[in-house]
Amino acid sequence: MSHPTPSSPDQSARPSRPVLDVWCELQCPDCHRAVDDLHALRARYGDRLEIRLRHFPLEKHQHAYEGAQAAEEAAAQGLSWPYVEAVLARTEELGAKGRPVLLDAAAGLGLDAEEMDTALVDGRHLLIVDADQAEGKAIGVTGTPTYVIGGERLDGGKSQEGLRERIEEIADRLLAEQDQS
């Protein structure tokens, strides 16, 4: 889930495949509902579309910031999206219980829950989460989920209706442009 920042040298070149940035937070019920769309996009495009998690913890969700850090630790341990999906399936429980849910989800996937707890205590992933949130604010993200593909921001916080189809239109256009170059 770690990703280059806009100032990184590898961002100056055009990406080898279209990128869909998904601005999300793990306590968000709308992000949980968006998982089916992400599965459909992965099934349709496979490796031709890169889907990246970007963190945008909302203040109204008490455990979202810690959830973002936990997601980064899961990525460091090699199971980013499976962990994200496992926690999103438990958004209500996360809201009620907090960190124990994050650690239980890690253990359930075979991740090192003790190392996850240590990462949450020592804050080793704070900078990634803060950078994502700052970038999100800079491009106008105000809620989750929000998608960015081909320079277009698509807000899904109010309704997911039609978003997957719009993402597919943009991805198809980007892929066709790539095939022509």
Side-chain angles (χ1 to χ4, degrees):
M1 283 188 293
S2 300
H3 39 269
T5 59
S7 59
S8 297
D10 54 341
Q11 283 290 89
S12 59
R14 189 170 184 194
S16 60
R17 59 187 172 162
V19 174
L20 172 65
D21 282 330
V22 181
W23 299 87
C24 178
E25 63 117 288
L26 299 189
Q27 200 178 330
C28 172
D30 292 326
C31 291
H32 175 236
R33 286 188 284 279
V35 168
D36 287 341
D37 286 338
L38 295 176
H39 284 282
L41 291 167
R42 282 191 194 104
R44 178 173 176 162
Y45 295 104
D47 290 339
R48 296 179 308 138
L49 177 66
E50 181 180 354
I51 300 175
R52 295 190 303 199
L53 176 69
R54 306 299 299 272
H55 304 290
F56 201 78
L58 301 171
E59 289 181 22
K60 68 181 179 180
H61 292 138
Q62 175 183 356
H63 304 291
Y65 193 76
E66 193 167 58
Q69 294 173 70
E72 282 299 323
E73 179 57 28
Q77 292 187 35
L79 285 178
S80 58
W81 281 105
Y83 180 79
V84 167
E85 291 179 19
V87 175
L88 283 172
R90 300 168 68 177
T91 55
E92 192 172 309
E93 187 182 3
L94 177 59
K97 297 180 181 175
R99 184 179 294 187
V101 174
L102 299 171
L103 300 177
D104 184 61
L109 291 169
L111 295 172
D112 184 339
E114 189 174 312
E115 187 63 25
M116 171 84 63
D117 192 42
T118 300
L120 294 173
V121 170
D122 70 23
R124 68 183 74 158
H125 302 294
L126 289 171
L127 292 177
I128 293 170
V129 175
D130 288 346
D132 271 5
Q133 193 164 40
E135 185 178 340
K137 286 179 182 177
I139 64 168
V141 174
T142 58
T144 58
T146 296
Y147 307 92
V148 177
I149 183 169
E152 292 189 47
R153 189 184 77 235
L154 307 167
D155 300 315
K158 292 183 178 142
S159 170
Q160 293 290 117
E161 191 172 327
L163 282 179
R164 184 173 80 205
E165 292 80 8
R166 183 68 185 123
I167 291 167
E168 289 171 347
E169 288 172 14
I170 297 167
D172 289 344
R173 184 188 78 230
L174 294 171
L175 288 167
E177 289 171 2
Q178 234 176 16
D179 290 344
Q180 292 175 359
S181 6

